[in-house]
């Protein structure tokens, strides 16, 4: 069961209090920038986590400036499209509304998920950067902690992606094995604990080198976790070794 810390109260709340009831995710990003993209990315993770738990989700975007640029940047990062709030009414069967906002942004009533800022150094990380590496770099810190983006952070994220994709393609050539129950429970336990995505990444790093896991189980584990992470970890399947 996904629990989110309400930034207004500091108290964990159920992201989906009613089984199969609709949860609306309202994303507040007034303009375009790396910080705004991080807000959208956190919302994307929230939507994915809810859907993995069987909860129907309706996600809408509030914003009045630089919307085409923001949506284009979000698409490049693999963030799913959001509906325009100006065209959104009330969802049928809606049971919960969660607001995802910059930590210095608006303070709407209801459950609120604050997202810490991004501190980007020169050159700007959006210029010429691998967008999926940028996504991974933004995922590397908990949502309530600032992210520092520089050449070293993006290079590390890019190298990790290359290594993991190559490993996943190699593991896929071995007989498939199910995700071990403990590994699956640990993964879900991490992302259902206030979207602890860095915890998910640490678990994948352990799976990568665990000598007791067959390669087929490693493959299924990474493919399963990527349903949340959205890092295209299976992209190189079928490529030459």
């Amino acid at each position: 069961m996904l629990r989110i810390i309400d930034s207004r109260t500091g108290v964990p709340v159920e992201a989906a209090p009613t089984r199969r009831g609709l949860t609306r995710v309202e994303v507040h990003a007034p303009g375009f920038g790396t910080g705004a993209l991080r807000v959208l990315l956190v919302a994307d993770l929230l939507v994915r986590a809810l859907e993995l738990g069987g909860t129907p989700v309706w996600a809408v975007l509030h914003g009045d400036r630089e919307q085409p640029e923001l949506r284009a940047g979000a698409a490049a990062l693999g963030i799913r499209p959001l509906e325009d709030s100006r065209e959104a009414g009330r969802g049928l069967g809606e049971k919960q509304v969660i607001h995802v906002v910059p930590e210095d942004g608006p303070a709407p009533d209801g459950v609120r998920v604050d997202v810490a800022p991004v501190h980007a150094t020169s050159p700007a990380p959006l210029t010429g950067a691998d967008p999926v590496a940028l996504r991974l770099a933004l995922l590397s810190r908990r949502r309530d902690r600032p992210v520092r983006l520089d050449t070293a952070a993006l290079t590390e994220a890019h190298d990790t992606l290359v290594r993991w994709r190559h490993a996943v393609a190699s593991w896929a050539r071995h007989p498939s094995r199910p995700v071990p129950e403990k590994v699956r429970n640990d993964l879900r336990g991490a992302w259902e604990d206030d979207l602890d995505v860095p915890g998910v990444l640490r678990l994948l790093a352990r799976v990568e080198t665990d000598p007791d896991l067959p390669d087929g189980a490693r493959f299924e584990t990474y493919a399963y976790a990527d349903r949340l992470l959205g890092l295209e970890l299976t992209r190189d399947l079928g490529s030459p070794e």
Side-chain angles (χ1 to χ4, degrees):
M1 180 183 300
L2 176 61
R3 297 178 70 82
I4 292 290
I5 295 177
D6 185 347
S7 300
R8 296 177 306 117
T9 64
V11 175
V13 299
E14 295 180 12
T18 303
R19 183 171 176 79
R20 305 299 180 185
L22 177 68
T23 292
R24 178 161 64 173
V25 176
E26 298 205 359
V27 189
H28 300 261
F32 175 66
T34 318
L37 287 174
R38 190 185 189 198
V39 173
L40 268 64
L41 178 56
V42 170
D44 186 59
L45 293 169
L46 177 58
V47 169
R48 288 169 182 259
L50 285 165
E51 290 178 343
L52 283 167
T55 298
V57 189
W58 184 24
V60 299
L61 175 62
H62 293 265
D64 54 10
R65 292 186 292 107
E66 302 172 311
Q67 291 298 289
E69 295 89 346
L70 183 59
R71 289 183 180 277
L77 264 64
I79 296 169
R80 298 176 182 180
L82 300 165
E83 291 195 36
D84 190 326
S85 64
R86 293 169 295 186
E87 302 173 0
R90 182 175 176 84
L92 183 64
E94 184 177 294
K95 301 298 183 183
Q96 174 81 288
V97 178
I98 301 176
H99 299 273
V100 184
V101 301
E103 67 176 15
D104 59 350
D109 293 334
V111 178
R112 195 170 78 236
V113 174
D114 286 1
V115 181
V118 176
H119 302 300
T121 59
S122 184
L126 296 180
T127 304
D130 175 356
V132 187
L134 175 57
R135 181 181 177 106
L136 177 56
L138 291 172
L139 293 178
S140 65
R141 299 279 287 176
R142 291 185 64 97
R143 63 171 176 81
D144 57 348
R145 298 177 184 174
V147 171
R148 179 178 176 83
L149 283 181
D150 54 21
T151 301
L154 290 170
T155 298
E156 180 181 0
H158 176 268
D159 291 348
T160 298
L161 276 178
V162 170
R163 188 180 75 251
W164 279 358
R165 286 170 176 169
H166 179 78
V168 167
S170 176
W171 297 333
R173 299 184 181 96
H174 295 263
S176 178
R177 295 289 186 271
V179 179
E181 183 177 0
K182 183 179 186 310
V183 173
R184 183 184 295 269
N185 290 340
D186 287 348
L187 286 169
R188 292 193 72 97
W191 77 57
E192 291 183 348
D193 180 14
D194 196 36
L195 290 177
D196 182 11
V197 176
V200 172
L201 296 173
R202 288 192 296 270
L203 283 165
L204 289 183
R206 291 206 293 270
V207 166
E208 181 183 12
T209 58
D210 187 340
D212 296 326
L213 281 179
D215 286 343
R218 294 186 218 273
F219 168 78
E220 296 295 346
T221 298
Y222 272 63
Y224 175 65
D226 203 37
R227 294 170 64 187
L228 174 80
L229 300 173
L231 296 174
E232 303 175 2
L233 296 179
T234 60
R235 191 189 69 177
D236 292 345
L237 262 61
S239 62
E241 293 190 59

